[in-house]
Amino acid sequence: IEVPQKITVEITETEPVVKGQTASSSYKPAMTSNGLRVMVPPHIDVGTRIVINTEDDSYVQRARE
């Protein structure tokens, strides 16, 4: 079985943004539609589609619709 290097998933659950956080320095935990927990920038919210790297389950970018 060959897994693609990047997949697009939807965020189903995430913590609210803490005031004072900046996108460049901090990340927050989020749960994806396929049950994977990833760390995402503060501007990512529930319902947002993102691209993740399947090698290390890391956030790559916001998905382009």
Side-chain angles (χ1 to χ4, degrees):
I1 298 173
E2 196 169 313
V3 179
Q5 186 177 1
K6 295 178 184 172
I7 59 172
T8 301
V9 294
E10 186 173 332
I11 298 299
T12 57
E13 181 183 322
T14 187
E15 295 179 3
V17 176
V18 176
K19 191 171 186 172
Q21 285 183 332
T22 60
S24 62
S25 66
S26 59
Y27 283 75
K28 63 181 182 178
M31 186 65 72
T32 65
S33 55
N34 63 353
L36 185 67
R37 185 172 279 289
V38 296
M39 297 300 284
V40 297
H43 68 276
I44 301 297
D45 219 351
V46 172
T48 304
R49 292 175 51 80
I50 64 168
V51 177
I52 58 172
N53 182 339
T54 57
E55 289 181 9
D56 58 3
D57 298 334
S58 62
Y59 170 85
V60 176
Q61 66 185 20
R62 189 178 218 154
R64 294 183 179 99
E65 303 302 326

